[in-house]
Amino acid sequence: MDEHRLAGNLAAVRARIAAACARTGRDPGAVELIAVTKSVGPEAVAALRRLGVRDFGENRTPDLAAKREALDAVPGDPVRWHMIGHFQRNKVRRALPAVDVVHSVASDALARVLAAEAERAGRPPLPVYVQVNVAAEPTKDGFAPDDLGRALAALRDLPALRVLGLMTLAPLADDPETVRPVFRRLRELRDWARDRRYLDGSALSMGMTDDYEVAVEEGSTAVRVGRGLFAGAGTTAE
Ligand SMILES: *Cc1c(COP(=O)(O)O)cnc(C)c1O
């Protein structure tokens, strides 16, 4: 693995986030960079931690738990693990101890299971994002925008969950400008939900390698970047 290349990629991503903030008068400190490590092995995760990354995302719970364990064995500052992919309800009990934040609360049933398990484990309220299928793609998880008010109101009855805000995945596009309206819509939905007091949190988890700069311009507070960090660094999965 080429750690210099990894460091260069990381610096470039941070600089692009800062530039997108500067263009829109935002504070770069308000944008969290979550390194999505699903395509790399634990040694690349450890290298990123040495470079100061503190937030890691995985979309499969067994991988998340394994990488967390590998990293916990190496001395260093604590980090946070973000579950960003489809969370199967029957995996929650086993996986939740390794998870710090869930970005993919996409159904009432999953919310109830997460709340029940967080409570059972006696842990403080679990930070979650509510996933919204802004572009109404049949292949993607998430509440329909029309259903969001109802879903958020139901979540208020689950004090074991702390809703940080909303999350979305934009459709694949060659030109990130194409998906700007998706990010803008998520921000507008957040503002609407806060006005209605359906939502206390104001975080927006949106933006990946191909579109995070546009997402930051539209108000993202958490970008989930994988390929952009690892390109050319010779990292391998497991
Ligand atoms: C893989 C993945 C990402 C990161 O994708 P890249 O294109 O590699 O940056 C972000 N969010 C989710 C939900 C993912 O599954």
Side-chain angles (χ1 to χ4, degrees):
M1 181 179 43
D2 181 345
E3 291 206 23
H4 285 291
R5 180 66 191 265
L6 194 60
N9 287 350
L10 175 62
V13 170
R14 286 190 171 140
R16 290 202 175 117
I17 292 172
C21 286
R23 288 194 291 278
T24 46
R26 299 190 59 209
D27 168 13
V31 183
E32 192 175 281
L33 172 60
I34 299 169
V36 177
T37 50
K38 67 189 178 203
S39 64
V40 300
E43 74 294 336
V45 180
L48 277 178
R49 184 169 67 162
R50 286 194 293 277
L51 292 167
V53 174
R54 292 289 170 263
D55 289 277
F56 295 96
E58 284 282 331
N59 65 342
R60 294 184 64 246
T61 51
D63 299 343
L64 186 157
K67 283 176 196 161
R68 180 183 191 122
E69 205 172 304
L71 205 60
D72 280 352
V74 185
D77 294 338
V79 303
R80 293 191 299 173
W81 284 93
H82 301 253
M83 173 56 184
I84 60 174
H86 179 76
F87 207 156
Q88 287 173 265
R89 297 203 296 281
N90 62 3
K91 299 274 171 67
V92 167
R93 178 163 295 188
R94 172 181 287 209
L96 203 58
V99 176
D100 297 299
V101 185
V102 178
H103 287 243
S104 42
V105 174
S107 72
D108 300 307
L110 175 61
R112 283 193 297 269
V113 172
L114 286 170
E117 286 302 323
E119 209 168 300
R120 206 178 68 97
R123 57 192 278 174
L126 176 71
V128 300
Y129 290 85
V130 172
Q131 187 170 350
V132 184
N133 191 355
V134 174
E137 291 178 277
T139 54
K140 287 203 175 121
D141 283 343
F143 291 97
D146 282 354
D147 191 29
L148 186 62
R150 184 209 58 76
L152 290 171
L155 276 159
R156 288 197 158 270
D157 294 332
L158 301 174
L161 304 184
R162 183 161 67 88
V163 180
L164 301 176
L166 307 180
M167 177 272 210
T168 201
L169 276 160
L172 286 176
D174 289 333
D175 177 1
E177 283 301 328
T178 320
V179 296
R180 184 183 292 277
V182 172
F183 297 137
R184 184 170 296 165
R185 179 95 169 100
L186 195 72
R187 166 162 53 82
E188 289 167 356
L189 285 166
R190 178 207 55 194
D191 294 344
W192 169 84
R194 282 176 61 82
D195 285 349
R196 297 282 171 109
R197 305 203 183 283
Y198 290 137
L199 191 60
D200 296 327
S202 57
L204 292 173
S205 170
M206 57 187 197
M208 316 188 351
T209 294
D210 290 334
D211 54 25
Y212 67 89
E213 293 164 85
V214 170
V216 168
E217 287 173 2
E218 293 300 330
S220 173
T221 65
V223 293
R224 310 176 307 266
V225 179
R227 288 170 300 131
L229 290 172
F230 301 111
T235 52
T236 50
E238 270 60 31

mmCIF file of all heavy atoms in Angstrom, residues 31-75:
data_model
loop_
_atom_site.group_PDB
_atom_site.id
_atom_site.type_symbol
_atom_site.label_atom_id
_atom_site.label_comp_id
_atom_site.label_asym_id
_atom_site.label_seq_id
_atom_site.Cartn_x
_atom_site.Cartn_y
_atom_site.Cartn_z
ATOM 1 N N VAL A 31 -18.387 20.003 8.258
ATOM 2 C CA VAL A 31 -18.559 18.863 7.350
ATOM 3 C C VAL A 31 -17.673 17.709 7.808
ATOM 4 O O VAL A 31 -16.447 17.821 7.839
ATOM 5 C CB VAL A 31 -18.204 19.243 5.891
ATOM 6 C CG1 VAL A 31 -18.457 18.060 4.964
ATOM 7 C CG2 VAL A 31 -19.010 20.457 5.436
ATOM 8 N N GLU A 32 -18.319 16.633 8.175
ATOM 9 C CA GLU A 32 -17.620 15.442 8.648
ATOM 10 C C GLU A 32 -17.238 14.596 7.424
ATOM 11 O O GLU A 32 -18.060 14.402 6.537
ATOM 12 C CB GLU A 32 -18.658 14.695 9.478
ATOM 13 C CG GLU A 32 -18.252 13.572 10.349
ATOM 14 C CD GLU A 32 -19.505 13.117 11.138
ATOM 15 O OE1 GLU A 32 -19.868 13.785 12.135
ATOM 16 O OE2 GLU A 32 -20.124 12.122 10.729
ATOM 17 N N LEU A 33 -15.997 14.108 7.417
ATOM 18 C CA LEU A 33 -15.563 13.204 6.341
ATOM 19 C C LEU A 33 -15.598 11.776 6.875
ATOM 20 O O LEU A 33 -14.844 11.433 7.782
ATOM 21 C CB LEU A 33 -14.151 13.560 5.876
ATOM 22 C CG LEU A 33 -13.498 12.571 4.897
ATOM 23 C CD1 LEU A 33 -14.308 12.426 3.605
ATOM 24 C CD2 LEU A 33 -12.064 12.997 4.594
ATOM 25 N N ILE A 34 -16.481 10.974 6.311
ATOM 26 C CA ILE A 34 -16.564 9.565 6.686
ATOM 27 C C ILE A 34 -15.849 8.756 5.603
ATOM 28 O O ILE A 34 -16.236 8.804 4.435
ATOM 29 C CB ILE A 34 -18.033 9.112 6.822
ATOM 30 C CG1 ILE A 34 -18.727 9.923 7.920
ATOM 31 C CG2 ILE A 34 -18.112 7.608 7.107
ATOM 32 C CD1 ILE A 34 -20.236 9.749 7.949
ATOM 33 N N ALA A 35 -14.798 8.054 5.994
ATOM 34 C CA ALA A 35 -14.049 7.229 5.044
ATOM 35 C C ALA A 35 -14.778 5.902 4.881
ATOM 36 O O ALA A 35 -14.924 5.149 5.843
ATOM 37 C CB ALA A 35 -12.635 6.999 5.547
ATOM 38 N N VAL A 36 -15.247 5.656 3.660
ATOM 39 C CA VAL A 36 -15.977 4.412 3.394
ATOM 40 C C VAL A 36 -14.967 3.336 2.998
ATOM 41 O O VAL A 36 -14.305 3.434 1.965
ATOM 42 C CB VAL A 36 -17.040 4.615 2.310
ATOM 43 C CG1 VAL A 36 -17.739 3.295 1.980
ATOM 44 C CG2 VAL A 36 -18.065 5.647 2.775
ATOM 45 N N THR A 37 -14.837 2.331 3.856
ATOM 46 C CA THR A 37 -13.735 1.374 3.746
ATOM 47 C C THR A 37 -14.175 0.016 3.208
ATOM 48 O O THR A 37 -13.452 -0.959 3.350
ATOM 49 C CB THR A 37 -13.069 1.224 5.125
ATOM 50 O OG1 THR A 37 -14.078 0.976 6.120
ATOM 51 C CG2 THR A 37 -12.322 2.484 5.510
ATOM 52 N N LYS A 38 -15.364 -0.026 2.565
ATOM 53 C CA LYS A 38 -15.896 -1.327 2.142
ATOM 54 C C LYS A 38 -15.036 -2.028 1.110
ATOM 55 O O LYS A 38 -15.122 -3.236 0.969
ATOM 56 C CB LYS A 38 -17.318 -1.171 1.618
ATOM 57 C CG LYS A 38 -17.433 -0.382 0.339
ATOM 58 C CD LYS A 38 -18.904 -0.098 0.029
ATOM 59 C CE LYS A 38 -19.038 0.737 -1.223
ATOM 60 N NZ LYS A 38 -20.301 1.467 -1.269
ATOM 61 N N SER A 39 -14.217 -1.277 0.374
ATOM 62 C CA SER A 39 -13.428 -1.924 -0.683
ATOM 63 C C SER A 39 -11.978 -2.144 -0.276
ATOM 64 O O SER A 39 -11.167 -2.541 -1.098
ATOM 65 C CB SER A 39 -13.480 -1.078 -1.952
ATOM 66 O OG SER A 39 -12.862 0.167 -1.698
ATOM 67 N N VAL A 40 -11.648 -1.880 0.984
ATOM 68 C CA VAL A 40 -10.248 -2.037 1.410
ATOM 69 C C VAL A 40 -10.158 -2.861 2.690
ATOM 70 O O VAL A 40 -11.149 -3.036 3.415
ATOM 71 C CB VAL A 40 -9.563 -0.666 1.641
ATOM 72 C CG1 VAL A 40 -9.564 0.153 0.361
ATOM 73 C CG2 VAL A 40 -10.219 0.101 2.778
ATOM 74 N N GLY A 41 -8.970 -3.348 2.970
ATOM 75 C CA GLY A 41 -8.749 -4.163 4.153
ATOM 76 C C GLY A 41 -8.383 -3.330 5.373
ATOM 77 O O GLY A 41 -8.232 -2.116 5.283
ATOM 78 N N PRO A 42 -8.237 -4.011 6.517
ATOM 79 C CA PRO A 42 -7.989 -3.316 7.775
ATOM 80 C C PRO A 42 -6.703 -2.492 7.791
ATOM 81 O O PRO A 42 -6.627 -1.480 8.495
ATOM 82 C CB PRO A 42 -7.894 -4.442 8.811
ATOM 83 C CG PRO A 42 -8.434 -5.664 8.160
ATOM 84 C CD PRO A 42 -8.355 -5.476 6.689
ATOM 85 N N GLU A 43 -5.704 -2.894 6.997
ATOM 86 C CA GLU A 43 -4.440 -2.131 7.052
ATOM 87 C C GLU A 43 -4.637 -0.729 6.482
ATOM 88 O O GLU A 43 -4.025 0.235 6.952
ATOM 89 C CB GLU A 43 -3.297 -2.895 6.371
ATOM 90 C CG GLU A 43 -3.320 -2.940 4.863
ATOM 91 C CD GLU A 43 -4.495 -3.734 4.290
ATOM 92 O OE1 GLU A 43 -5.043 -4.630 4.995
ATOM 93 O OE2 GLU A 43 -4.884 -3.469 3.155
ATOM 94 N N ALA A 44 -5.525 -0.604 5.493
ATOM 95 C CA ALA A 44 -5.790 0.724 4.929
ATOM 96 C C ALA A 44 -6.588 1.574 5.925
ATOM 97 O O ALA A 44 -6.396 2.785 6.023
ATOM 98 C CB ALA A 44 -6.553 0.605 3.616
ATOM 99 N N VAL A 45 -7.454 0.916 6.686
ATOM 100 C CA VAL A 45 -8.212 1.633 7.720
ATOM 101 C C VAL A 45 -7.242 2.157 8.777
ATOM 102 O O VAL A 45 -7.310 3.324 9.199
ATOM 103 C CB VAL A 45 -9.261 0.697 8.371
ATOM 104 C CG1 VAL A 45 -10.052 1.448 9.434
ATOM 105 C CG2 VAL A 45 -10.201 0.124 7.316
ATOM 106 N N ALA A 46 -6.299 1.290 9.182
ATOM 107 C CA ALA A 46 -5.318 1.701 10.192
ATOM 108 C C ALA A 46 -4.471 2.864 9.676
ATOM 109 O O ALA A 46 -4.172 3.808 10.413
ATOM 110 C CB ALA A 46 -4.434 0.516 10.571
ATOM 111 N N ALA A 47 -4.105 2.810 8.389
ATOM 112 C CA ALA A 47 -3.297 3.898 7.811
ATOM 113 C C ALA A 47 -4.072 5.209 7.840
ATOM 114 O O ALA A 47 -3.519 6.261 8.174
ATOM 115 C CB ALA A 47 -2.894 3.540 6.385
ATOM 116 N N LEU A 48 -5.359 5.143 7.523
ATOM 117 C CA LEU A 48 -6.161 6.376 7.555
ATOM 118 C C LEU A 48 -6.270 6.913 8.974
ATOM 119 O O LEU A 48 -6.257 8.115 9.200
ATOM 120 C CB LEU A 48 -7.559 6.116 6.989
ATOM 121 C CG LEU A 48 -7.702 6.170 5.477
ATOM 122 C CD1 LEU A 48 -9.136 5.849 5.088
ATOM 123 C CD2 LEU A 48 -7.304 7.541 4.929
ATOM 124 N N ARG A 49 -6.374 6.002 9.927
ATOM 125 C CA ARG A 49 -6.448 6.500 11.303
ATOM 126 C C ARG A 49 -5.146 7.205 11.682
ATOM 127 O O ARG A 49 -5.166 8.245 12.336
ATOM 128 C CB ARG A 49 -6.758 5.388 12.301
ATOM 129 C CG ARG A 49 -6.922 5.999 13.709
ATOM 130 C CD ARG A 49 -7.470 5.068 14.738
ATOM 131 N NE ARG A 49 -6.552 3.990 15.053
ATOM 132 C CZ ARG A 49 -6.625 3.242 16.138
ATOM 133 N NH1 ARG A 49 -7.579 3.467 17.028
ATOM 134 N NH2 ARG A 49 -5.779 2.275 16.359
ATOM 135 N N ARG A 50 -4.022 6.655 11.251
ATOM 136 C CA ARG A 50 -2.746 7.330 11.527
ATOM 137 C C ARG A 50 -2.715 8.711 10.886
ATOM 138 O O ARG A 50 -2.054 9.624 11.380
ATOM 139 C CB ARG A 50 -1.569 6.492 11.000
ATOM 140 C CG ARG A 50 -1.277 5.267 11.845
ATOM 141 C CD ARG A 50 0.085 4.660 11.511
ATOM 142 N NE ARG A 50 0.149 4.087 10.173
ATOM 143 C CZ ARG A 50 -0.282 2.848 9.865
ATOM 144 N NH1 ARG A 50 -0.797 2.066 10.806
ATOM 145 N NH2 ARG A 50 -0.191 2.404 8.631
ATOM 146 N N LEU A 51 -3.447 8.865 9.790
ATOM 147 C CA LEU A 51 -3.490 10.161 9.104
ATOM 148 C C LEU A 51 -4.553 11.089 9.695
ATOM 149 O O LEU A 51 -4.801 12.170 9.170
ATOM 150 C CB LEU A 51 -3.773 9.945 7.615
ATOM 151 C CG LEU A 51 -2.650 9.258 6.824
ATOM 152 C CD1 LEU A 51 -3.144 8.814 5.448
ATOM 153 C CD2 LEU A 51 -1.451 10.197 6.687
ATOM 154 N N GLY A 52 -5.207 10.647 10.772
ATOM 155 C CA GLY A 52 -6.119 11.545 11.472
ATOM 156 C C GLY A 52 -7.593 11.341 11.182
ATOM 157 O O GLY A 52 -8.430 12.074 11.708
ATOM 158 N N VAL A 53 -7.944 10.350 10.355
ATOM 159 C CA VAL A 53 -9.369 10.100 10.096
ATOM 160 C C VAL A 53 -9.976 9.431 11.329
ATOM 161 O O VAL A 53 -9.367 8.527 11.918
ATOM 162 C CB VAL A 53 -9.543 9.217 8.836
ATOM 163 C CG1 VAL A 53 -11.001 8.827 8.642
ATOM 164 C CG2 VAL A 53 -9.016 9.955 7.607
ATOM 165 N N ARG A 54 -11.150 9.880 11.714
ATOM 166 C CA ARG A 54 -11.780 9.355 12.931
ATOM 167 C C ARG A 54 -13.156 8.730 12.667
ATOM 168 O O ARG A 54 -13.783 8.209 13.589
ATOM 169 C CB ARG A 54 -11.947 10.484 13.974
ATOM 170 C CG ARG A 54 -10.641 10.994 14.522
ATOM 171 C CD ARG A 54 -9.976 9.967 15.443
ATOM 172 N NE ARG A 54 -8.629 10.357 15.790
ATOM 173 C CZ ARG A 54 -7.519 9.919 15.165
ATOM 174 N NH1 ARG A 54 -7.617 9.059 14.170
ATOM 175 N NH2 ARG A 54 -6.337 10.338 15.530
ATOM 176 N N ASP A 55 -13.641 8.840 11.438
ATOM 177 C CA ASP A 55 -14.973 8.314 11.114
ATOM 178 C C ASP A 55 -14.856 7.354 9.939
ATOM 179 O O ASP A 55 -14.309 7.710 8.892
ATOM 180 C CB ASP A 55 -15.928 9.463 10.776
ATOM 181 C CG ASP A 55 -16.284 10.257 12.019
ATOM 182 O OD1 ASP A 55 -17.197 9.821 12.746
ATOM 183 O OD2 ASP A 55 -15.626 11.285 12.281
ATOM 184 N N PHE A 56 -15.387 6.161 10.141
ATOM 185 C CA PHE A 56 -15.311 5.120 9.112
ATOM 186 C C PHE A 56 -16.693 4.563 8.830
ATOM 187 O O PHE A 56 -17.494 4.367 9.753
ATOM 188 C CB PHE A 56 -14.374 3.996 9.567
ATOM 189 C CG PHE A 56 -12.946 4.452 9.722
ATOM 190 C CD1 PHE A 56 -12.452 4.831 10.963
ATOM 191 C CD2 PHE A 56 -12.122 4.551 8.621
ATOM 192 C CE1 PHE A 56 -11.143 5.288 11.103
ATOM 193 C CE2 PHE A 56 -10.812 5.006 8.740
ATOM 194 C CZ PHE A 56 -10.322 5.376 9.985
ATOM 195 N N GLY A 57 -16.954 4.278 7.557
ATOM 196 C CA GLY A 57 -18.260 3.763 7.161
ATOM 197 C C GLY A 57 -18.146 2.440 6.432
ATOM 198 O O GLY A 57 -17.223 2.235 5.634
ATOM 199 N N GLU A 58 -19.093 1.561 6.699
ATOM 200 C CA GLU A 58 -19.175 0.264 6.022
ATOM 201 C C GLU A 58 -20.635 0.020 5.662
ATOM 202 O O GLU A 58 -21.539 0.485 6.361
ATOM 203 C CB GLU A 58 -18.708 -0.859 6.956
ATOM 204 C CG GLU A 58 -17.198 -0.927 7.134
ATOM 205 C CD GLU A 58 -16.472 -1.573 5.952
ATOM 206 O OE1 GLU A 58 -17.069 -2.442 5.273
ATOM 207 O OE2 GLU A 58 -15.312 -1.205 5.711
ATOM 208 N N ASN A 59 -20.853 -0.757 4.600
ATOM 209 C CA ASN A 59 -22.253 -1.018 4.258
ATOM 210 C C ASN A 59 -22.685 -2.449 4.565
ATOM 211 O O ASN A 59 -23.821 -2.810 4.294
ATOM 212 C CB ASN A 59 -22.546 -0.635 2.807
ATOM 213 C CG ASN A 59 -21.796 -1.491 1.828
ATOM 214 O OD1 ASN A 59 -20.813 -2.148 2.209
ATOM 215 N ND2 ASN A 59 -22.232 -1.508 0.599
ATOM 216 N N ARG A 60 -21.755 -3.247 5.134
ATOM 217 C CA ARG A 60 -22.137 -4.594 5.575
ATOM 218 C C ARG A 60 -21.671 -4.775 7.013
ATOM 219 O O ARG A 60 -20.502 -4.502 7.328
ATOM 220 C CB ARG A 60 -21.483 -5.661 4.685
ATOM 221 C CG ARG A 60 -21.989 -5.652 3.243
ATOM 222 C CD ARG A 60 -21.375 -6.782 2.432
ATOM 223 N NE ARG A 60 -21.786 -8.081 2.950
ATOM 224 C CZ ARG A 60 -20.969 -8.962 3.510
ATOM 225 N NH1 ARG A 60 -19.686 -8.707 3.650
ATOM 226 N NH2 ARG A 60 -21.433 -10.112 3.946
ATOM 227 N N THR A 61 -22.577 -5.274 7.845
ATOM 228 C CA THR A 61 -22.233 -5.327 9.271
ATOM 229 C C THR A 61 -21.104 -6.301 9.616
ATOM 230 O O THR A 61 -20.316 -5.990 10.507
ATOM 231 C CB THR A 61 -23.481 -5.651 10.124
ATOM 232 O OG1 THR A 61 -24.122 -6.810 9.598
ATOM 233 C CG2 THR A 61 -24.440 -4.483 10.142
ATOM 234 N N PRO A 62 -20.981 -7.467 8.940
ATOM 235 C CA PRO A 62 -19.862 -8.345 9.330
ATOM 236 C C PRO A 62 -18.502 -7.683 9.064
ATOM 237 O O PRO A 62 -17.570 -7.825 9.865
ATOM 238 C CB PRO A 62 -20.054 -9.580 8.443
ATOM 239 C CG PRO A 62 -21.475 -9.538 7.995
ATOM 240 C CD PRO A 62 -21.842 -8.087 7.919
ATOM 241 N N ASP A 63 -18.415 -6.943 7.950
ATOM 242 C CA ASP A 63 -17.156 -6.259 7.629
ATOM 243 C C ASP A 63 -16.884 -5.153 8.638
ATOM 244 O O ASP A 63 -15.744 -4.948 9.069
ATOM 245 C CB ASP A 63 -17.230 -5.633 6.229
ATOM 246 C CG ASP A 63 -17.448 -6.676 5.149
ATOM 247 O OD1 ASP A 63 -17.229 -7.872 5.432
ATOM 248 O OD2 ASP A 63 -17.848 -6.297 4.038
ATOM 249 N N LEU A 64 -17.943 -4.454 9.006
ATOM 250 C CA LEU A 64 -17.784 -3.370 9.968
ATOM 251 C C LEU A 64 -17.234 -3.922 11.280
ATOM 252 O O LEU A 64 -16.245 -3.410 11.832
ATOM 253 C CB LEU A 64 -19.139 -2.677 10.182
ATOM 254 C CG LEU A 64 -19.162 -1.420 11.055
ATOM 255 C CD1 LEU A 64 -20.382 -0.574 10.724
ATOM 256 C CD2 LEU A 64 -19.158 -1.746 12.537
ATOM 257 N N ALA A 65 -17.843 -4.999 11.764
ATOM 258 C CA ALA A 65 -17.418 -5.561 13.048
ATOM 259 C C ALA A 65 -15.972 -6.057 12.964
ATOM 260 O O ALA A 65 -15.177 -5.835 13.888
ATOM 261 C CB ALA A 65 -18.358 -6.694 13.456
ATOM 262 N N ALA A 66 -15.619 -6.700 11.852
ATOM 263 C CA ALA A 66 -14.264 -7.250 11.718
ATOM 264 C C ALA A 66 -13.225 -6.135 11.662
ATOM 265 O O ALA A 66 -12.173 -6.215 12.305
ATOM 266 C CB ALA A 66 -14.182 -8.103 10.457
ATOM 267 N N LYS A 67 -13.519 -5.081 10.903
ATOM 268 C CA LYS A 67 -12.533 -3.993 10.799
ATOM 269 C C LYS A 67 -12.444 -3.225 12.103
ATOM 270 O O LYS A 67 -11.375 -2.782 12.508
ATOM 271 C CB LYS A 67 -12.874 -3.073 9.639
ATOM 272 C CG LYS A 67 -12.485 -3.702 8.321
ATOM 273 C CD LYS A 67 -12.887 -2.881 7.137
ATOM 274 C CE LYS A 67 -12.820 -3.764 5.895
ATOM 275 N NZ LYS A 67 -13.600 -3.227 4.791
ATOM 276 N N ARG A 68 -13.566 -3.087 12.764
ATOM 277 C CA ARG A 68 -13.524 -2.409 14.051
ATOM 278 C C ARG A 68 -12.631 -3.172 15.013
ATOM 279 O O ARG A 68 -11.793 -2.590 15.711
ATOM 280 C CB ARG A 68 -14.926 -2.307 14.638
ATOM 281 C CG ARG A 68 -14.891 -1.596 15.968
ATOM 282 C CD ARG A 68 -16.250 -1.521 16.643
ATOM 283 N NE ARG A 68 -16.129 -0.602 17.748
ATOM 284 C CZ ARG A 68 -16.849 0.487 17.901
ATOM 285 N NH1 ARG A 68 -17.798 0.785 17.067
ATOM 286 N NH2 ARG A 68 -16.628 1.288 18.904
ATOM 287 N N GLU A 69 -12.794 -4.474 15.019
ATOM 288 C CA GLU A 69 -11.996 -5.302 15.917
ATOM 289 C C GLU A 69 -10.509 -5.179 15.578
ATOM 290 O O GLU A 69 -9.663 -5.036 16.468
ATOM 291 C CB GLU A 69 -12.444 -6.754 15.784
ATOM 292 C CG GLU A 69 -12.157 -7.589 16.996
ATOM 293 C CD GLU A 69 -12.815 -8.953 16.865
ATOM 294 O OE1 GLU A 69 -14.046 -9.011 16.665
ATOM 295 O OE2 GLU A 69 -12.070 -9.946 16.922
ATOM 296 N N ALA A 70 -10.199 -5.221 14.277
ATOM 297 C CA ALA A 70 -8.798 -5.108 13.860
ATOM 298 C C ALA A 70 -8.206 -3.772 14.307
ATOM 299 O O ALA A 70 -7.067 -3.703 14.760
ATOM 300 C CB ALA A 70 -8.691 -5.260 12.346
ATOM 301 N N LEU A 71 -9.004 -2.706 14.176
ATOM 302 C CA LEU A 71 -8.498 -1.378 14.520
ATOM 303 C C LEU A 71 -8.392 -1.207 16.036
ATOM 304 O O LEU A 71 -7.453 -0.568 16.527
ATOM 305 C CB LEU A 71 -9.430 -0.315 13.940
ATOM 306 C CG LEU A 71 -8.806 1.044 13.674
ATOM 307 C CD1 LEU A 71 -7.664 0.911 12.685
ATOM 308 C CD2 LEU A 71 -9.838 2.017 13.149
ATOM 309 N N ASP A 72 -9.336 -1.782 16.764
ATOM 310 C CA ASP A 72 -9.318 -1.664 18.225
ATOM 311 C C ASP A 72 -8.039 -2.265 18.805
ATOM 312 O O ASP A 72 -7.590 -1.876 19.881
ATOM 313 C CB ASP A 72 -10.536 -2.370 18.842
ATOM 314 C CG ASP A 72 -11.800 -1.513 18.749
ATOM 315 O OD1 ASP A 72 -11.689 -0.333 18.347
ATOM 316 O OD2 ASP A 72 -12.888 -2.022 19.076
ATOM 317 N N ALA A 73 -7.460 -3.234 18.071
ATOM 318 C CA ALA A 73 -6.256 -3.895 18.566
ATOM 319 C C ALA A 73 -5.021 -3.005 18.427
ATOM 320 O O ALA A 73 -3.993 -3.267 19.043
ATOM 321 C CB ALA A 73 -6.039 -5.199 17.800
ATOM 322 N N VAL A 74 -5.122 -1.966 17.609
ATOM 323 C CA VAL A 74 -3.996 -1.054 17.397
ATOM 324 C C VAL A 74 -4.191 0.159 18.305
ATOM 325 O O VAL A 74 -5.253 0.766 18.277
ATOM 326 C CB VAL A 74 -3.971 -0.571 15.924
ATOM 327 C CG1 VAL A 74 -2.744 0.285 15.660
ATOM 328 C CG2 VAL A 74 -4.036 -1.753 14.978
ATOM 329 N N PRO A 75 -3.165 0.507 19.120
ATOM 330 C CA PRO A 75 -3.381 1.660 20.001
ATOM 331 C C PRO A 75 -3.606 2.941 19.194
ATOM 332 O O PRO A 75 -3.069 3.078 18.091
ATOM 333 C CB PRO A 75 -2.083 1.742 20.812
ATOM 334 C CG PRO A 75 -1.129 0.765 20.241
ATOM 335 C CD PRO A 75 -1.835 -0.092 19.254
#
